[in-house]
Amino acid sequence: MEEKYLGEEDLKERGVRLTPQRLELMRILKKLRNNHPSFNEIYKAVKIKHPTVSRSTVYDNLKLLVDLDMITSFHYKGETHYELNPDLHINLAD
């Protein structure tokens, strides 16, 4: 049985191509969903399976997912972080 990725059906419905890099990005976001990963953490994780992926490709795809309201982004300590759950919640961190 083929693994389904975060929002795969939503992207198909919107006519967005499901490239291997995009699917890997979505897999990483799902895996790290409770960690609020930074851009650099996501980029490094995607690069493991796709060593030739560029920073701009990852950035552009994250921006697409934000624009589609599938993920949210926020700035913390000078870095952009991403999360799947756009519902309001409290993060307790130093």
Side-chain angles (χ1 to χ4, degrees):
M1 186 166 164
E2 187 175 319
E3 179 182 1
K4 289 286 182 186
Y5 295 88
L6 153 80
E8 183 176 332
E9 294 301 319
D10 294 323
L11 290 178
K12 283 181 183 178
E13 288 173 9
R14 291 176 167 112
V16 177
R17 280 187 43 221
L18 298 176
T19 64
Q21 295 88 350
R22 190 169 286 147
L23 290 172
E24 180 63 11
L25 172 64
M26 294 165 70
R27 186 189 72 75
I28 296 293
L29 287 167
K30 185 175 179 182
K31 179 181 173 187
L32 299 176
R33 77 173 141 234
N34 296 323
N35 299 336
H36 306 300
S38 70
F39 171 81
N40 286 321
E41 290 169 325
I42 295 167
Y43 173 67
K44 288 176 186 176
V46 172
K47 202 153 177 69
I48 291 170
K49 278 199 176 176
H50 299 278
T52 61
V53 73
S54 69
R55 292 178 71 82
S56 63
T57 295
V58 174
Y59 175 80
D60 290 345
N61 279 286
L62 286 168
K63 184 177 179 329
L64 172 68
L65 295 175
V66 168
D67 290 347
L68 294 174
D69 292 324
M70 295 176 72
I71 63 173
T72 58
S73 67
F74 62 95
H75 297 282
Y76 180 70
K77 293 189 177 183
E79 285 191 282
T80 303
H81 293 260
Y82 297 87
E83 64 182 356
L84 295 179
N85 185 358
D87 296 333
L88 182 63
H89 61 280
I90 297 172
N91 291 309
L92 300 175
D94 60 298

